[in-house]
Amino acid sequence: MTYSQAATLKRKFIEERQRILKRNVTSLENTLYDAIFNKLIADLDVTDGKIVSNNKNIDLTSALNKIFDTFNKSEYLPLIKAFSKDFQQIQKLNETYFDILAQDKKKLDTVSKQVNSIMEKTIGITNDGKIVSKGYLDRLVTDNTLQSEIKTLTYRAVTGGLPIVDYKDSIKRLVVGSDNVDGALQKHFNTFAYDTYTQFDRTSSKLYAVKLDLKYFIYAGGEINTTRCFCDRNNGKVFSTDEAEEWIRLLNDECGPIWNEKVDGTYDPISDMGGYNCRHTPDYISETIAKKLRPDLEN
């Protein structure tokens, strides 16, 4: 296998897992809505089309805790565990990639162990795949933003005598979404998960490169309809890590990386490349390959 084939294999894996995760999250949204409908909405007392403000209905709002407990254990946690295994597979694919480039296999073995340890801590999993308390993955599991929003909406609907149709539509829009509007879980994963695949891969690759003293890479990932000017201009080209450091001067220029330091923190050219939701990665190469692909580096 060539380094190019290994890079393509890894990219295809990431793209496929992102698609599968998105599909599974949509399925979870529907499962959660069905549970709320069957175990809460269907049991509400309704008179003349309006929710009755009585003790029974107010007490029913507490059923949401049980609904979410069951949902988290039976549906949501297994999805997060599958998500965590994807990162372990990315690590294996990176080890395969750098094995092709590394001259010193003994050193690579040491480096791989170091990088795996660092990345496991970064993502919040142990080497046997368990989720670490208060780590990144654990925060995905324990986030109760959606539960709180549904509780507030339900309590207001009951105490305010909201028409049952309006309440049901509000819950469905919130949980499942509507035409061209994502549901709550999709929005959450759009913000905190989908981009993590590529960021994780780039950060892992950078650690390998630093420890193996690789200073050149191909700006790889191809182009799609939404490819930004910065990525379009750099796609497929060879750069040195020193040249990449200069990208910080182009932040938010007309044809520079898109970045919001207040939201996303300090920009790292290799880990962040084109900015939020950038699909490109640094495919590291040896100095010999770099100079063949870009002869001006000889000077």
Side-chain angles (χ1 to χ4, degrees):
M1 184 185 295
T2 66
Y3 74 87
S4 179
Q5 289 170 330
T8 300
L9 186 66
K10 182 175 60 173
R11 250 186 305 280
K12 284 184 176 179
F13 172 79
I14 290 173
E15 289 171 0
E16 177 65 12
R17 294 311 299 173
Q18 284 174 324
R19 281 194 294 271
I20 290 172
L21 180 60
K22 196 174 185 70
R23 189 168 66 238
N24 288 342
V25 169
T26 295
S27 176
L28 282 194
E29 288 177 334
N30 286 306
T31 299
L32 178 59
Y33 175 74
D34 288 345
I36 293 171
F37 183 87
N38 292 327
K39 297 180 180 179
L40 171 63
I41 297 174
D43 289 337
L44 288 170
D45 284 343
V46 177
T47 300
D48 296 331
K50 293 184 177 181
I51 300 170
V52 178
S53 182
N54 60 18
N55 288 333
K56 177 199 167 186
N57 282 350
I58 292 173
D59 289 342
L60 274 174
T61 61
S62 64
L64 284 166
N65 292 332
K66 188 173 182 180
I67 290 169
F68 269 88
D69 284 345
T70 302
F71 171 77
N72 286 338
K73 288 175 185 175
S74 63
E75 306 290 343
Y76 193 55
L77 185 57
L79 178 130
I80 298 299
K81 286 183 175 178
F83 186 41
S84 72
K85 288 180 181 178
D86 290 343
F87 294 113
Q88 291 178 312
Q89 183 61 28
I90 291 171
Q91 283 297 90
K92 290 178 182 177
L93 290 168
N94 264 336
E95 190 171 348
T96 299
Y97 179 88
F98 285 98
D99 182 60
I100 296 166
L101 296 178
Q103 301 294 319
D104 187 340
K105 303 301 182 184
K106 189 174 181 180
K107 181 178 180 180
L108 175 66
D109 185 54
T110 301
V111 167
S112 291
K113 289 176 182 175
Q114 292 171 343
V115 174
N116 284 340
S117 178
I118 292 169
M119 296 311 295
E120 283 164 1
K121 288 177 183 175
T122 299
I123 210 68
I125 51 174
T126 61
N127 56 15
D128 58 353
K130 292 181 180 177
I131 296 173
V132 177
S133 176
K134 298 182 180 178
Y136 163 72
L137 289 172
D138 186 54
R139 289 196 297 272
L140 274 182
V141 174
T142 57
D143 183 88
N144 64 356
T145 304
L146 176 58
Q147 185 175 349
S148 296
E149 288 180 2
I150 292 175
K151 261 189 172 181
T152 300
L153 198 158
T154 301
Y155 185 76
R156 288 176 178 170
V158 171
T159 57
L162 194 74
I164 186 66
V165 172
D166 293 348
Y167 168 66
K168 195 163 41 175
D169 287 346
S170 296
I171 292 291
K172 191 163 189 177
R173 280 198 306 272
L174 176 61
V175 176
V176 180
S178 56
D179 292 344
N180 302 316
V181 178
D182 285 333
L185 290 178
Q186 284 293 4
K187 288 177 181 176
H188 186 63
F189 274 72
N190 282 337
T191 304
F192 297 107
Y194 297 128
D195 195 37
T196 306
Y197 279 113
T198 306
Q199 287 182 326
F200 180 90
D201 175 39
R202 289 193 295 239
T203 301
S204 171
S205 293
K206 181 181 177 180
L207 284 170
Y208 268 105
V210 169
K211 292 177 182 296
L212 295 173
D213 199 31
L214 295 168
K215 297 181 179 179
Y216 299 91
F217 65 90
I218 298 170
Y219 197 106
E223 297 176 73
I224 56 176
N225 291 337
T226 56
T227 297
R228 298 165 182 154
C229 172
F230 179 77
C231 296
D232 179 59
R233 186 175 63 189
N234 292 335
N235 181 58
K237 294 181 180 178
V238 173
F239 295 93
S240 71
T241 52
D242 287 341
E243 288 171 327
E245 291 298 324
E246 296 300 311
W247 294 343
I248 199 166
R249 300 173 184 272
L250 303 174
L251 284 184
N252 300 318
D253 282 358
E254 185 178 350
C255 203
I258 306 301
W259 196 251
N260 185 341
E261 291 209 0
K262 291 181 180 179
V263 176
D264 302 306
T266 303
Y267 172 76
D268 181 305
I270 302 298
S271 296
D272 302 314
M273 300 194 85
Y276 175 71
N277 247 1
C278 172
R279 66 197 297 271
H280 292 82
T281 55
D283 286 356
Y284 285 94
I285 51 179
S286 67
E287 185 172 350
T288 302
I289 296 172
K291 288 179 177 179
K292 278 185 179 180
L293 295 174
R294 194 179 140 189
D296 65 291
L297 289 171
E298 289 285 359
N299 301 320

